[in-house]
Amino acid sequence: MNTAIGVTGLRKKFGDHVVLDGVDLHVPAGTIFSLLGPNGAGKTTAVQILSTLITADSGQVTVAGHDVAADPDGVRAAIGVTGQFSAVDKLLTGEENLRLMGELYRLPKQEITRRASTLLERFDLVAAGGKLASTYSGGMLRRLDLAMTLVGEPRVIFLDEPTTGLDPRSRRGMWEVIKDLVAGGVTVFLTTQYLEEADQLADRIAVLDHGRIVAEGTAAELKRRIPGGHVRLRFTNVRELDTAARILANATADQDSLTLTVPGDGSRRALKDLLDRLDDAAIEVDALTVHTPDLDDVFFALTGHTTIDQEATLS
Amino acid sequence: MTTLTDSATMLRRNLRHAIRYPSLTFGVALVPVIMLLMFAYLFGNAISIGVASTTEGADYIDFLVPGILLMTLGSGSQTTAVQICGDMAEGIVARFRTMPITRTSVLTGQVAGSVILTMVSSVLTVGVGLAMGFRPTAGPVEWLAVLGLMLLATFAITWLAVGFGLASKAPEGASNAAMPLSFFLPLPVHGLRPAGVAAGRHPLVRRVPAVHADHRDAARVAGRRADRAQRLAGRRVVRRARDRRLPVVEEAVQPRPEPVGRAASAASAAPRSSDRSRPAYSDTASAYAGLSACSAAAPTFAADIAG
């Protein structure tokens, strides 16, 4: 399979602050690759380097077969970028924004008209096409932004947190659009801090933390990597919590919320065992919840930004 | 070729902005006209007393219009700085920079748009001036020279404004940074008051290029009416100054011993003023040349900032 994006030994620092510390990535053409990480992990910096906005300190980066350092114009001709903040000219109408892109790609006039109207239709902006972009809602701006990125028919698209700040409905709409893109053979490089988004869209996910890739794989592979499943028991008083904690040696108690977290996969058999042991000790359980591992667990486990109950999960 | 195509595209974008944001556009275009009306009708009576006593046959309006014309050169600079800074903040420039286009076209388009707007404003100013009784005696070639110099100067000032816009973090800051270009530069211009008023001798004022440029325009308009012999005398002053390798302006604006008494002062006023504006006239070329040299350097400087 062709490589759309290849990165080896990518390093970047701003002053003394190391932002990317030896990143290696390989993205096959026609797939969605998601770079996942907390704020400040270096996601945006990575996108800026891959999209020729800034230069790397060291490392090899090729995008769509062109070296970013040696042939930035070759890269620019092949990519489209939609950043965190909508890069839309708000004093132009939606259609004018699309036409502006077409003119900058130096397309023939009829072709510009054709692509503009196709994109307006595809992104549900036909009615708004003649209105100034300054009157658009957040979701419309993002759609227009992405439509502008597509005017040049890029082979590789960078989406830097494309759904940040969108309401759930707009977010799902955006997901559909992104899935359609890949069906058309485009490679998508997506950064996000929403684990669900990566889970929904990405063929492969890399977790970036403090400038390093701490894990890479499919969503399923990543979930398998950590034993995130647990059962949470809530009790009505501290005495019962303490008794239960003594019986279940591998569990972690939280005195404040009167809960006990017991590692386990939540299977029927494991649950029955657990409840039997509590019954034997005549301990009354107020509530029980089963937690199966999701990308949140992976994320917290790998990046070390753990909350109290995530620590409990891992211990 | 691609540079031209891209710049043309960006210019179209800029002109569309001018249409979409009329308050800003009209602000730029109309401020000089308002200044013209203000100086002519609000302060004009007070100032024109001085004009009548210092020039023969020239009205205050003949001094005022060239002066205001120089003000228009910088009138668009704040808008330019704000627009450039806003573009940077909007992220649209980041998008342009990931596209296979000529990078400087973002700036050249903006500059071309601003220069066009400034020229429209200048034409408007002259038009209103004519309606108010401005009667220039300059010929077509001289007007062409004025236009050329104005274009170059506007070009230079606009690039400086672009630099301020790029260097500023917020549009408010950009507006303040570019303020001197639109206000402080033309304020000491002589055209707002009669030529030869004492303030013109201040060292700072003497070094503002626009002052000399204005001398030139004023001399164009008023000086034609002066005696031909006096013109020759003026040229002799310049030549003498050059021979002695003295800075022409210093020589030219050196205060002469003041004649005693008001009557004597009034009597000698006419030759004095034209005598003074002549040498400054020759200095104008160098002042403008300096400004125009900026126009060559400014794009490179701005492009460096833009990265």
Side-chain angles (χ1 to χ4, degrees):
Chain A
M1 197 179 249
N2 282 341
T3 301
I5 302 169
V7 177
T8 41
L10 177 60
R11 276 167 217 282
K12 177 74 183 178
K13 59 180 181 181
F14 295 113
D16 285 338
H17 181 56
V18 178
V19 182
L20 293 174
D21 190 13
V23 170
D24 300 314
L25 294 172
H26 170 82
V27 182
T31 62
I32 302 185
F33 182 88
S34 177
L35 194 59
L36 195 63
N39 290 329
K43 300 190 297 290
T44 298
T45 306
V47 170
Q48 284 177 333
I49 291 172
L50 293 180
S51 62
T52 75
L53 273 175
I54 57 176
T55 53
D57 292 341
S58 66
Q60 267 275 307
V61 180
T62 53
V63 176
H66 303 274
D67 189 286
V68 166
D71 184 17
D73 276 326
V75 174
R76 286 176 196 139
I79 63 168
V81 185
T82 296
Q84 270 182 51
F85 305 101
S86 47
V88 166
D89 192 328
K90 293 197 176 141
L91 288 178
L92 300 183
T93 67
E95 191 184 351
E96 283 169 348
N97 265 300
L98 294 173
R99 299 191 70 93
L100 174 68
M101 292 297 116
E103 284 168 23
L104 289 174
Y105 283 112
R106 303 179 200 101
L107 301 171
K109 269 220 159 62
Q110 299 98 324
E111 184 62 16
I112 293 176
T113 311
R114 195 185 65 77
R115 288 194 194 179
S117 60
T118 314
L119 284 166
L120 284 175
E121 206 160 307
R122 181 166 164 196
F123 285 86
D124 197 17
L125 290 168
V126 177
K131 294 198 185 103
L132 288 189
S134 53
T135 64
Y136 283 22
S137 71
M140 287 160 81
L141 278 176
R142 288 296 172 89
R143 294 209 298 276
L144 176 60
D145 199 335
L146 189 53
M148 285 165 74
T149 301
L150 298 183
V151 171
E153 297 188 341
R155 282 177 284 144
V156 179
I157 297 176
F158 294 94
L159 302 173
D160 192 10
E161 303 195 5
T163 63
T164 301
L166 290 189
D167 61 54
R169 208 169 65 93
S170 307
R171 177 171 301 160
R172 286 188 185 274
M174 192 60 101
W175 287 352
E176 290 310 311
V177 169
I178 295 170
K179 282 177 187 164
D180 285 351
L181 287 178
V182 180
V186 170
T187 309
V188 173
F189 187 96
L190 170 86
T191 77
T192 183
Q193 43 180 330
Y194 299 117
L195 307 141
E196 192 195 354
E197 188 161 293
D199 206 355
Q200 283 272 332
L201 295 175
D203 296 307
R204 286 185 75 77
I205 299 167
V207 182
L208 185 68
D209 189 44
H210 292 113
R212 290 170 183 276
I213 301 288
V214 290
E216 196 189 333
T218 63
E221 279 168 10
L222 288 180
K223 284 178 194 170
R224 267 202 297 278
R225 278 184 58 159
I226 59 151
H230 61 261
V231 175
R232 190 179 294 171
L233 304 165
R234 198 170 75 223
F235 301 95
T236 45
N237 58 55
V238 181
R239 198 179 47 79
E240 289 195 322
L241 174 69
D242 287 343
T243 319
R246 266 197 304 279
I247 298 167
L248 307 165
N250 57 351
T252 319
D254 179 20
Q255 302 272 355
D256 293 334
S257 60
L258 296 176
T259 56
L260 193 66
T261 306
V262 190
D265 57 6
S267 67
R268 201 182 60 85
R269 191 178 175 79
L271 274 178
K272 189 171 180 304
D273 271 3
L274 178 66
L275 292 174
D276 283 349
R277 287 170 75 184
L278 291 171
D279 274 348
D280 292 346
I283 300 167
E284 199 63 37
V285 178
D286 185 39
L288 177 148
T289 48
V290 177
H291 184 83
T292 50
D294 61 14
L295 271 182
D296 276 306
D297 300 311
V298 181
F299 190 65
F300 287 123
L302 291 169
T303 61
H305 305 282
T306 49
T307 59
I308 290 166
D309 54 73
Q310 299 302 331
E311 264 165 9
T313 307
L314 296 175
S315 59
Chain B
M1 195 58 218
T2 57
T3 312
L4 274 181
T5 325
D6 291 345
S7 299
T9 305
M10 291 300 183
L11 172 62
R12 278 200 296 279
R13 165 175 181 255
N14 192 262
L15 292 179
R16 221 166 242 152
H17 282 181
I19 297 165
R20 294 288 152 72
Y21 208 159
S23 58
L24 213 59
T25 313
F26 280 119
V28 173
L30 290 183
V31 162
V33 174
I34 291 168
M35 293 294 264
L36 180 63
L37 294 172
M38 208 167 73
F39 271 96
Y41 294 128
L42 275 184
F43 312 137
N45 279 347
I47 303 174
S48 57
I49 297 166
V51 181
S53 64
T54 51
T55 54
E56 292 164 4
D59 289 329
Y60 176 50
I61 188 86
D62 292 328
F63 286 91
L64 184 60
V65 173
I68 296 287
L69 221 45
L70 281 162
M71 291 190 69
T72 61
L73 300 186
S75 62
S77 51
Q78 262 175 301
T79 315
T80 307
V82 169
Q83 281 175 339
I84 284 280
C85 191
D87 263 0
M88 296 289 162
E90 284 288 311
I92 186 102
V93 167
R95 176 190 286 282
F96 291 147
R97 287 173 62 192
T98 62
M99 292 173 69
I101 60 171
T102 315
R103 289 192 156 199
T104 44
S105 64
V106 182
L107 304 178
T108 47
Q110 173 79 45
V111 168
S114 297
V115 170
I116 290 175
L117 189 58
T118 306
M119 287 303 129
V120 168
S121 175
S122 306
V123 169
L124 214 62
T125 307
V126 173
V128 173
L130 287 172
M132 289 166 64
F134 173 50
R135 293 291 171 263
T137 54
V141 180
E142 285 168 309
W143 272 111
L144 214 61
V146 168
L147 183 74
L149 285 173
M150 283 186 66
L151 267 173
L152 283 175
T154 311
F155 189 62
I157 291 170
T158 311
W159 272 113
L160 285 175
V162 165
F164 283 128
L166 289 173
S168 304
K169 290 204 166 58
E172 292 86 353
S175 172
N176 288 340
M179 181 116 84
L181 292 179
S182 58
F183 279 109
F184 302 147
L185 180 73
L187 263 190
V189 162
H190 282 199
L192 306 187
R193 344 166 238 91
V197 166
R201 291 172 195 157
H202 190 278
L204 179 73
V205 172
R206 259 189 275 131
R207 279 168 178 77
V208 175
V211 173
H212 305 298
D214 181 49
H215 262 303
R216 175 205 178 125
D217 291 346
R220 278 256 151 89
V221 177
R224 287 199 142 212
R225 293 165 186 173
D227 188 32
R228 183 181 151 76
Q230 275 168 3
R231 273 195 244 168
L232 290 174
R235 277 185 209 143
R236 271 203 300 281
V237 174
V238 184
R239 215 172 300 128
R240 244 184 296 135
R242 285 222 186 96
D243 291 345
R244 279 188 264 148
R245 293 170 179 266
L246 283 176
V248 176
V249 199
E250 296 296 323
E251 166 77 12
V253 217
Q254 206 66 249
R256 289 180 162 195
E258 287 290 333
V260 196
R262 288 196 67 101
S265 161
S268 66
R272 202 152 42 92
S273 73
S274 62
D275 196 44
R276 198 167 290 137
S277 43
R278 279 296 119 186
Y281 175 23
S282 77
D283 192 54
T284 306
S286 66
Y288 256 129
L291 209 52
S292 305
C294 284
S295 70
T300 335
F301 155 74
D304 275 353
I305 297 180

